[in-house]
Amino acid sequence: MDLLERDDELAALGRLLAECAAGGRVAVISGEAGAGKSSLAAAFAEAAGPRAHVVRGACDPLLTPRALGPLHDIARALGGRLRDRIADAPRVEVFDLFLEALDRPPQAACPVVVLEDLHWADEATLDMIAFLGRRLALCRALLLITYREEEIAPDHRLRTVLAGLPPGLTRRVSLPPLSAAAVGELARRAGRDAPGCTR
């Protein structure tokens, strides 16, 4: 995947993945809608190749968010006891099963958990992030979180959860808007006029 103006951010994520050999790490990627958070996560997963075992979950803009929605996505991919127990086990048991799955990755790949659109997260998902943040150093996994900064009010609980992540293990990556030249290049690739251009 060919990203524009995101080389530094990709390199930072690559370094964080390498650091996971010494214990878990967290990457917090923020930016406005359309800044390319999902594209960056996908390009990073592609670049990591066999060094990473990537599982993904996403929050949805539902009026009544599904409890642990992203973890249900991940449980389907990971299978095992987590998938079997997620529907009816106590929440603390589900969190323990998730941590156990991260601590036993397939082959030698580093587990990478991508949780997207945390600005739409339900309370249970935020609890899960807080739980993992305090224990991630115990396993060699990378937790990659994305959210829209403009969607988070000053009193949103996600801010409290992110503030509680271990500072020595957490890297924040704020994506600036693309330059006009980059937007023009993306428009050209899509067969469209660049913003501000007329025929």
Side-chain angles (χ1 to χ4, degrees):
M1 179 179 292
D2 182 20
L3 288 184
L4 299 176
E5 301 180 347
R6 297 296 185 240
D7 289 347
D8 290 346
E9 291 83 359
L10 270 176
L13 293 177
R15 289 191 296 272
L16 211 54
L17 180 64
E19 291 173 13
C20 286
R25 299 290 189 270
V26 184
V28 180
I29 301 174
S30 62
E32 63 186 25
K37 300 177 294 296
S38 295
S39 295
L40 177 64
F44 165 67
E46 182 180 308
R51 294 182 298 141
H53 174 63
V54 181
V55 291
R56 293 180 174 87
C59 300
D60 299 302
L62 304 175
L63 291 177
T64 306
R66 179 175 60 154
L68 293 175
L71 189 54
H72 281 271
D73 297 339
I74 291 166
R76 280 194 297 274
L78 291 178
R81 293 177 62 214
L82 177 61
R83 181 189 59 202
D84 296 341
R85 298 286 289 147
I86 190 171
D88 55 12
R91 188 174 297 171
V92 66
E93 180 182 339
V94 171
F95 291 173
D96 282 334
L97 287 172
F98 186 26
L99 195 62
E100 181 181 302
L102 294 181
D103 204 27
R104 297 179 180 173
Q107 302 167 353
C110 174
V112 175
V113 178
V114 179
L115 298 176
E116 296 203 64
D117 296 326
L118 266 294
H119 48 279
W120 290 321
D122 65 285
E123 292 292 316
T125 297
L126 295 177
D127 283 345
M128 178 186 72
I129 294 168
F131 176 91
L132 288 178
R134 291 178 175 272
R135 293 161 179 84
L136 207 58
L138 304 175
C139 61
R140 297 178 178 89
L142 175 60
L143 177 62
L144 193 156
I145 296 167
T146 75
Y147 73 98
R148 295 180 190 169
E149 180 68 40
E150 73 273 16
E151 296 274 354
I152 303 300
D155 60 346
H156 196 291
R157 185 161 173 249
L158 177 57
R159 292 195 186 277
T160 303
V161 171
L162 294 179
L165 294 173
L169 306 179
T170 302
R171 177 83 44 84
R172 294 180 181 265
V173 178
S174 180
L175 295 184
L178 293 173
S179 69
V183 172
E185 173 60 17
L186 290 176
R188 185 192 65 77
R189 291 180 186 181
R192 301 181 179 195
D193 289 333
C197 292
T198 57
R199 288 182 185 264

Coordinates of all heavy atoms in Angstrom, one line a residue, residues 144-191:
L144 N -3.0 -1.2 19.0 CA -3.0 -0.1 18.2 C -4.4 0.5 18.2 O -5.4 -0.2 17.7 CB -2.6 -0.4 16.7 CG -2.2 0.7 15.8 CD1 -1.3 0.3 14.7 CD2 -3.5 1.3 15.1
I145 N -4.6 1.7 18.7 CA -5.9 2.3 18.9 C -6.0 3.5 17.9 O -5.1 4.3 17.8 CB -6.0 2.8 20.3 CG1 -6.0 1.7 21.3 CG2 -7.3 3.7 20.5 CD1 -5.8 2.1 22.7
T146 N -7.2 3.7 17.3 CA -7.4 4.9 16.5 C -8.7 5.6 17.0 O -9.6 4.9 17.4 CB -7.6 4.6 15.0 OG1 -8.9 4.0 14.7 CG2 -6.5 3.6 14.5
Y147 N -8.7 6.9 16.9 CA -9.9 7.7 17.2 C -9.8 9.0 16.6 O -8.7 9.5 16.2 CB -10.1 7.8 18.7 CG -9.1 8.7 19.4 CD1 -9.5 10.0 19.7 CD2 -7.8 8.3 19.8 CE1 -8.6 10.9 20.4 CE2 -6.9 9.2 20.4 CZ -7.3 10.5 20.7 OH -6.5 11.3 21.3
R148 N -11.0 9.7 16.5 CA -11.0 11.0 15.9 C -11.0 12.0 17.1 O -11.9 12.0 18.0 CB -12.4 11.2 15.2 CG -12.5 10.4 13.9 CD -13.9 10.7 13.3 NE -14.2 9.8 12.2 CZ -15.4 9.7 11.6 NH1 -16.4 10.5 12.0 NH2 -15.5 8.9 10.6
E149 N -10.0 12.8 17.1 CA -9.8 13.8 18.2 C -11.0 14.7 18.3 O -11.4 15.1 19.4 CB -8.5 14.6 17.9 CG -8.2 15.6 19.0 CD -7.8 15.0 20.3 OE1 -7.1 14.0 20.4 OE2 -8.3 15.6 21.4
E150 N -11.6 15.2 17.2 CA -12.7 16.2 17.2 C -14.0 15.6 17.8 O -14.9 16.3 18.1 CB -12.9 16.8 15.9 CG -13.6 15.9 14.8 CD -12.6 15.0 14.0 OE1 -11.5 14.9 14.5 OE2 -13.0 14.5 13.0
E151 N -14.0 14.2 17.9 CA -15.2 13.6 18.4 C -15.2 13.4 19.9 O -16.2 12.9 20.5 CB -15.4 12.2 17.7 CG -15.6 12.2 16.2 CD -17.1 12.4 15.8 OE1 -17.9 12.4 16.7 OE2 -17.3 12.6 14.6
I152 N -14.1 13.7 20.5 CA -13.9 13.4 21.9 C -14.0 14.7 22.7 O -13.2 15.6 22.7 CB -12.5 12.8 22.2 CG1 -12.3 11.5 21.4 CG2 -12.4 12.5 23.7 CD1 -13.4 10.5 21.7
A153 N -15.1 14.8 23.5 CA -15.3 16.0 24.3 C -14.3 16.0 25.5 O -13.8 14.9 25.8 CB -16.8 16.0 24.9
P154 N -14.1 17.1 26.2 CA -13.1 17.1 27.3 C -13.5 16.1 28.4 O -12.6 15.6 29.1 CB -13.2 18.6 27.8 CG -13.7 19.4 26.6 CD -14.6 18.4 25.8
D155 N -14.7 15.8 28.6 CA -15.1 14.9 29.7 C -15.4 13.5 29.2 O -15.9 12.7 29.9 CB -16.4 15.4 30.4 CG -17.6 15.6 29.5 OD1 -17.4 15.5 28.2 OD2 -18.7 15.7 30.0
H156 N -15.1 13.2 27.9 CA -15.3 11.8 27.4 C -14.4 10.8 28.1 O -13.2 11.1 28.4 CB -14.9 11.8 25.9 CG -15.4 10.6 25.2 ND1 -14.9 9.3 25.4 CD2 -16.4 10.5 24.2 CE1 -15.6 8.5 24.6 NE2 -16.5 9.1 23.9
R157 N -14.9 9.7 28.5 CA -14.1 8.7 29.3 C -12.9 8.2 28.5 O -11.9 7.8 29.2 CB -15.0 7.6 29.7 CG -14.3 6.6 30.7 CD -15.1 5.8 31.5 NE -14.2 4.8 32.2 CZ -14.2 3.5 31.9 NH1 -14.9 3.0 31.0 NH2 -13.3 2.8 32.6
L158 N -12.9 8.2 27.2 CA -11.7 7.8 26.5 C -10.5 8.6 26.9 O -9.4 8.0 26.9 CB -12.0 7.9 25.0 CG -10.8 7.5 24.1 CD1 -10.3 6.0 24.3 CD2 -11.2 7.6 22.6
R159 N -10.7 9.8 27.1 CA -9.5 10.7 27.5 C -8.9 10.1 28.8 O -7.7 10.1 29.0 CB -9.9 12.1 27.7 CG -10.3 12.8 26.4 CD -10.3 14.3 26.6 NE -10.8 14.9 25.3 CZ -10.0 15.2 24.3 NH1 -8.7 14.9 24.3 NH2 -10.5 15.8 23.2
T160 N -9.8 9.8 29.8 CA -9.3 9.2 31.1 C -8.6 7.9 30.8 O -7.5 7.6 31.4 CB -10.5 9.0 32.0 OG1 -11.2 10.3 32.2 CG2 -10.0 8.5 33.4
V161 N -9.2 7.0 30.0 CA -8.5 5.7 29.7 C -7.2 5.9 29.1 O -6.2 5.3 29.4 CB -9.5 4.9 28.8 CG1 -8.7 3.6 28.3 CG2 -10.7 4.5 29.6
L162 N -7.1 6.8 28.1 CA -5.8 7.0 27.4 C -4.8 7.6 28.3 O -3.6 7.3 28.3 CB -6.0 8.0 26.2 CG -6.9 7.4 25.0 CD1 -7.0 8.4 23.9 CD2 -6.3 6.1 24.5
A163 N -5.2 8.5 29.2 CA -4.3 9.1 30.2 C -3.7 8.0 31.2 O -2.6 8.2 31.7 CB -5.0 10.2 31.0
G164 N -4.5 7.0 31.4 CA -4.1 5.9 32.3 C -3.2 4.9 31.7 O -2.7 4.0 32.4
L165 N -2.9 4.9 30.4 CA -2.0 4.0 29.7 C -0.6 4.2 30.2 O -0.2 5.4 30.4 CB -2.1 4.1 28.2 CG -3.5 3.7 27.6 CD1 -3.5 4.0 26.1 CD2 -3.7 2.2 27.8
P166 N 0.2 3.2 30.3 CA 1.6 3.4 30.9 C 2.4 4.2 29.9 O 2.6 3.9 28.8 CB 2.1 1.9 30.9 CG 1.2 1.1 30.0 CD -0.1 1.8 30.0
P167 N 2.9 5.4 30.4 CA 3.6 6.3 29.5 C 4.8 5.8 28.9 O 5.1 6.1 27.7 CB 3.9 7.5 30.4 CG 3.8 7.0 31.8 CD 2.8 5.9 31.8
G168 N 5.5 4.9 29.6 CA 6.8 4.4 29.0 C 6.6 3.4 27.9 O 7.5 3.1 27.1
L169 N 5.3 2.9 27.8 CA 5.0 1.8 26.8 C 4.1 2.4 25.7 O 3.8 1.6 24.8 CB 4.3 0.6 27.5 CG 5.1 0.0 28.6 CD1 4.2 -1.1 29.2 CD2 6.4 -0.5 28.2
T170 N 3.7 3.6 25.8 CA 2.7 4.2 24.9 C 3.3 5.2 24.0 O 4.0 6.1 24.4 CB 1.5 4.8 25.7 OG1 0.9 3.8 26.5 CG2 0.4 5.3 24.8
R171 N 3.0 5.1 22.7 CA 3.4 6.1 21.7 C 2.2 6.8 21.1 O 1.3 6.1 20.6 CB 4.3 5.5 20.6 CG 4.7 6.4 19.5 CD 5.9 7.2 19.8 NE 7.0 6.4 20.5 CZ 7.9 5.6 19.8 NH1 7.9 5.5 18.5 NH2 8.8 5.0 20.5
R172 N 2.1 8.1 21.1 CA 1.0 8.8 20.5 C 1.4 9.3 19.1 O 2.5 9.9 19.0 CB 0.5 10.0 21.4 CG -0.1 9.5 22.7 CD -0.5 10.6 23.6 NE -1.1 10.2 24.8 CZ -2.4 9.9 25.0 NH1 -3.2 10.2 24.1 NH2 -2.8 9.5 26.2
V173 N 0.6 9.0 18.2 CA 0.8 9.4 16.8 C -0.4 10.3 16.3 O -1.5 9.8 16.1 CB 1.0 8.2 15.9 CG1 1.2 8.6 14.4 CG2 2.1 7.3 16.3
S174 N -0.1 11.6 16.1 CA -1.2 12.5 15.7 C -1.0 12.7 14.2 O 0.1 13.2 13.8 CB -1.1 13.8 16.5 OG -2.1 14.6 16.0
L175 N -2.0 12.4 13.4 CA -1.9 12.5 12.0 C -2.3 13.9 11.5 O -3.5 14.3 11.7 CB -2.7 11.5 11.2 CG -2.3 10.0 11.4 CD1 -3.2 9.1 10.5 CD2 -0.9 9.8 11.0
P176 N -1.4 14.7 11.0 CA -1.8 16.0 10.4 C -2.6 15.8 9.1 O -2.4 14.8 8.5 CB -0.5 16.7 10.2 CG 0.5 15.6 9.9 CD 0.0 14.5 10.8
P177 N -3.3 16.8 8.7 CA -4.0 16.8 7.4 C -2.9 16.6 6.3 O -1.8 17.1 6.4 CB -4.8 18.1 7.3 CG -4.9 18.6 8.7 CD -3.7 18.1 9.4
L178 N -3.3 16.0 5.2 CA -2.4 15.9 4.0 C -2.2 17.3 3.4 O -3.1 18.1 3.5 CB -2.9 14.9 3.0 CG -3.0 13.5 3.4 CD1 -3.7 12.6 2.3 CD2 -1.6 12.9 3.6
S179 N -1.1 17.5 2.8 CA -0.9 18.7 2.1 C -1.7 18.8 0.8 O -2.3 17.8 0.4 CB 0.6 18.8 1.6 OG 0.9 17.8 0.6
A180 N -1.9 20.0 0.3 CA -2.7 20.2 -0.9 C -2.1 19.3 -2.1 O -2.9 18.8 -2.9 CB -2.7 21.7 -1.3
A181 N -0.8 19.2 -2.1 CA -0.2 18.4 -3.2 C -0.6 16.9 -3.1 O -0.9 16.3 -4.0 CB 1.3 18.6 -3.2
A182 N -0.6 16.4 -1.8 CA -0.9 15.0 -1.6 C -2.4 14.8 -1.9 O -2.7 13.8 -2.5 CB -0.6 14.6 -0.2
V183 N -3.3 15.7 -1.5 CA -4.7 15.6 -1.8 C -4.9 15.6 -3.3 O -5.7 14.8 -3.9 CB -5.5 16.7 -1.2 CG1 -6.9 16.7 -1.6 CG2 -5.4 16.6 0.4
G184 N -4.1 16.5 -4.0 CA -4.2 16.5 -5.5 C -3.8 15.2 -6.1 O -4.4 14.7 -7.1
E185 N -2.7 14.6 -5.6 CA -2.2 13.3 -6.1 C -3.3 12.2 -5.9 O -3.5 11.3 -6.7 CB -0.9 12.9 -5.4 CG -0.4 11.5 -5.7 CD -0.1 11.3 -7.2 OE1 0.0 12.3 -8.0 OE2 0.0 10.1 -7.6
L186 N -3.9 12.2 -4.7 CA -4.9 11.2 -4.4 C -6.1 11.4 -5.4 O -6.7 10.4 -5.9 CB -5.4 11.3 -3.0 CG -4.4 10.8 -1.9 CD1 -5.0 11.1 -0.5 CD2 -4.1 9.4 -2.1
A187 N -6.5 12.6 -5.6 CA -7.6 12.9 -6.6 C -7.2 12.4 -8.0 O -8.0 11.8 -8.7 CB -7.9 14.4 -6.6
R188 N -6.0 12.6 -8.4 CA -5.5 12.2 -9.7 C -5.6 10.6 -9.8 O -6.0 10.1 -10.8 CB -4.1 12.6 -9.9 CG -3.6 12.3 -11.3 CD -2.1 12.5 -11.4 NE -1.3 11.6 -10.6 CZ -1.1 10.3 -10.9 NH1 -1.6 9.8 -12.0 NH2 -0.4 9.5 -10.1
R189 N -5.2 9.9 -8.7 CA -5.2 8.5 -8.7 C -6.6 8.0 -8.8 O -6.9 6.9 -9.4 CB -4.5 7.9 -7.5 CG -3.0 8.2 -7.4 CD -2.5 7.6 -6.1 NE -1.1 7.9 -5.9 CZ -0.4 7.5 -4.9 NH1 -0.9 6.8 -3.9 NH2 0.9 7.8 -4.8
A190 N -7.5 8.7 -8.3 CA -9.0 8.3 -8.3 C -9.7 8.8 -9.6 O -10.9 8.6 -9.7 CB -9.7 8.8 -7.1
G191 N -8.9 9.5 -10.5 CA -9.5 9.9 -11.7 C -10.4 11.2 -11.5 O -11.3 11.4 -12.3

